[in-house]
Amino acid sequence: MVNWNETKAFLQERMNGTPEIGLILGSGLGVLADEIENPVAIPYEDIPHFPVSTVEGHAGQLVFGDLEGKRVVAMQGRFHFYEGYSMEQVTFPVRVLKLIGVETLIVTNAAGACNENFNPGDLMIITDHINFFGTSPLIGKNANEFGTRFPDMSEAYDKQLVKLTEQVASDLGLNVQKGVYFGNTGPTYETPAEVRMARLLGGDVVGMSTVPEVIVARHSDMRVLGISCVSNMAAGILDQPLNHEEVIETTERVRQDFLSLVRGTIKSI
Ligand code: 6GU
């Protein structure tokens, strides 16, 4: 078992005030952390018990500071199950955020659309998810200090935060989608048949993250807001192959809208 107190004490000695909001920034969305004022950045490798990030383009640090007048902490770079991290490692930072005072978690990702009405570049407010990882981060002895054995998931994504974010989008003149995030392990993108399945089962977008973190966040009763950036149409929808470069390029194109939406939402929380 992990000694949470070592991680907690280490961060509390260094952070500049208690963060109310935590942010997990997905592929290409880590730039939001660069906008944090009065930043204190702590590389993951310096934090006791923290897994260490491997993927390029992920800075791999916690950034504490102020954003839109709120105290925040951002995870610049996350841990993916497909990288070989255990579910416990993938979700370790979420529990750390809980321990240092975070009450609201904003989780972001790049995802592929299986809903044909969506377009690359769309932003989607996550209303619910489907855990298709074939496992759960909560398997094993229950961590009673965080939450109950059988957590309720009937409102994994906070309805009030969904509403608030919709309002912010409307005020900014941004057209946003709402929908269900279908979580797969990756690292392959889905086959066209798997994309049809995801759609048939109720998914609007497919991705390789978010679900484990949200499960652990809800276990400890954090309020969750999820935002997907639709970087591409999922396989078989368009007559073209998928590539990681397209995912990165599209994310770069919608970066400004993404930043405005998240900043606006943080301001009005
Ligand atoms: Cl099409 N699938 C998954 N699983 N993750 C993605 C994606 C697709 N596009 C971006 N991320």
Side-chain angles (χ1 to χ4, degrees):
M1 263 281 113
V2 185
N3 186 350
W4 300 102
N5 286 330
E6 284 173 16
T7 312
K8 183 178 169 182
F10 176 90
L11 292 173
Q12 283 183 330
E13 266 169 38
R14 287 161 182 81
M15 67 196 209
N16 43 5
T18 299
E20 172 195 351
I21 299 169
L23 292 148
I24 302 183
L25 303 173
S27 302
L29 305 171
V31 281
L32 183 56
D34 301 332
E35 302 199 354
I36 293 174
E37 295 153 40
N38 311 309
V40 172
I42 307 177
Y44 293 159
E45 61 204 27
D46 294 352
I47 307 174
H49 309 298
F50 232 72
V52 174
S53 189
T54 54
V55 177
E56 266 177 77
H58 288 228
Q61 55 181 7
L62 285 185
V63 184
F64 294 87
D66 305 301
L67 199 58
E68 300 292 348
K70 299 277 177 4
R71 314 261 341 133
V72 304
V73 55
M75 274 184 77
Q76 203 172 23
R78 63 144 59 86
F79 304 101
H80 295 94
F81 193 54
Y82 64 73
E83 292 175 274
Y85 297 107
S86 66
M87 276 288 170
E88 192 182 357
Q89 288 176 307
V90 168
T91 57
F92 179 85
V94 176
R95 288 196 164 155
V96 171
L97 296 191
K98 172 73 186 185
L99 287 174
I100 59 176
V102 169
E103 290 168 358
T104 302
L105 185 66
I106 303 179
V107 188
T108 67
N109 58 64
C114 52
N115 182 333
E116 303 202 16
N117 299 319
F118 288 9
N119 289 295
D122 282 352
L123 296 172
M124 186 192 86
I125 304 170
I126 305 177
T127 55
D128 205 348
H129 75 219
I130 294 171
N131 177 13
F132 216 73
F133 280 77
T135 184
S136 164
L138 299 180
I139 286 175
K141 188 174 169 349
N142 185 51
N144 290 316
E145 65 273 37
F146 288 99
T148 180
R149 172 75 288 189
F150 300 109
D152 178 34
M153 292 292 279
S154 27
E155 199 183 315
Y157 299 83
D158 190 275
K159 281 208 175 76
Q160 238 178 299
L161 289 177
V162 169
K163 221 169 158 184
L164 185 74
T165 309
E166 272 188 290
Q167 185 59 52
V168 168
S170 149
D171 292 348
L172 291 168
L174 292 176
N175 193 7
V176 294
Q177 310 282 6
K178 280 196 294 182
V180 173
Y181 181 93
F182 190 101
N184 278 325
T185 64
T188 58
Y189 293 119
E190 297 71 24
T191 63
E194 287 164 348
V195 170
R196 288 193 298 273
M197 176 195 70
R199 182 67 187 138
L200 199 63
L201 295 184
D204 292 291
V205 300
V206 281
M208 307 176 193
S209 65
T210 302
V211 167
E213 292 109 314
V214 171
I215 289 173
V216 165
R218 290 302 298 144
H219 180 241
S220 64
D221 207 30
M222 294 163 98
R223 289 210 302 167
V224 173
L225 170 67
I227 299 176
S228 289
C229 170
V230 177
S231 50
N232 54 279
M233 299 310 285
I237 293 186
L238 304 176
D239 190 21
Q240 63 181 48
L242 270 60
N243 66 84
H244 185 61
E245 283 63 46
E246 185 199 0
V247 172
I248 302 289
E249 275 166 31
T250 310
T251 315
E252 265 163 30
R253 179 161 61 80
V254 292
R255 194 170 272 172
Q256 279 317 315
D257 288 350
F258 169 81
L259 293 175
S260 316
L261 183 63
V262 177
R263 291 189 72 125
T265 303
I266 289 173
K267 189 175 180 180
S268 56
I269 278 177

